[in-house]
Amino acid sequence: MTPQEIFTYLTKAFPAAELVLEEIQPSPVIRVPRAVLADVALKLRDDDALHFECLMCLSGLDKAPELHTVYHLHSMKNKQTVALRCVVTRDDPSMPTVCHVWQTAEWHEREAWDMFGIRFENHPDHRRILCADDWDGHPLRKDYKAPESFHGIPLTNILPESLS
């Protein structure tokens, strides 16, 4: 199935969900509202016509003023891929976990929390994965201001002024 056909299939399965097909290059992305994200994920994994058993990557993005998560899925059985996008606001950066759908999401969601501050409801181990537990803020947000030091250790900007 093409991304367009997968989108059509999902809109029939979730008629009230307001899914959107984003025709971007190199491949389209299906925008899924957070309220139905977990249900759409289960459909993509469990429906034999789709069978997306592999979450290849889950990425956080800061597209100010919104925060995005992008899910790259693959079906080995059907030899196809699809990408989903879920958007949240900075004021309420939370969405449902998909750990119960794809176990590998546990680490990906922890990274999205650590770097972007996106909370995943009902995540089994919601703690930092890259930064120290007592690190303040989320370093990949566009509005993040790095501290001058951490536990007395000076932190320096390794980029020249012209690039930062």
Side-chain angles (χ1 to χ4, degrees):
M1 272 193 239
T2 67
Q4 175 66 48
E5 291 168 329
I6 295 166
F7 171 74
T8 301
Y9 194 87
L10 290 173
T11 56
K12 289 178 183 173
F14 300 94
E18 297 183 25
L19 303 175
V20 175
L21 182 64
E22 299 176 352
E23 296 280 356
I24 58 175
Q25 293 300 321
S27 61
V29 174
I30 300 170
R31 188 180 288 222
V32 178
R34 71 176 163 184
V36 296
L37 176 64
D39 294 332
V40 169
L42 283 168
K43 180 75 170 169
L44 286 165
R45 184 196 69 189
D46 295 343
D47 189 308
D48 282 338
L50 302 168
H51 199 72
F52 286 97
E53 73 277 20
C54 181
L55 171 64
M56 296 186 307
C57 183
L58 183 164
S59 303
L61 298 167
D62 185 344
K63 296 280 200 173
E66 304 164 324
L67 297 170
H68 296 210
T69 52
V70 179
Y71 304 78
H72 291 272
L73 309 175
H74 182 73
S75 170
M76 289 179 273
K77 175 184 172 188
N78 297 324
K79 297 177 179 62
Q80 59 192 24
T81 60
V82 71
L84 306 178
R85 180 189 311 264
C86 191
V87 178
V88 294
T89 65
R90 287 176 125 63
D91 295 335
D92 184 16
S94 67
M95 62 182 61
T97 186
V98 293
C99 290
H100 61 290
V101 182
W102 301 287
Q103 188 175 3
T104 191
E106 287 187 31
W107 284 52
H108 291 284
E109 289 177 355
R110 284 179 61 191
E111 184 177 351
W113 155 248
D114 199 3
M115 296 290 105
F116 295 96
I118 300 168
R119 289 186 304 275
F120 294 88
E121 301 151 7
N122 300 313
H123 189 282
D125 187 12
H126 212 286
R127 61 190 166 102
R128 290 193 180 271
I129 193 168
L130 298 172
C131 293
D133 290 339
D134 59 343
W135 191 267
D136 188 31
H138 305 283
L140 292 183
R141 280 195 177 192
K142 290 181 178 177
D143 58 357
Y144 178 73
K145 302 291 184 220
E148 291 185 22
S149 67
F150 181 70
H151 292 284
I153 302 167
L155 302 177
T156 58
N157 185 355
I158 60 172
L159 291 175
E161 289 280 331
S162 62
L163 296 177
S164 45

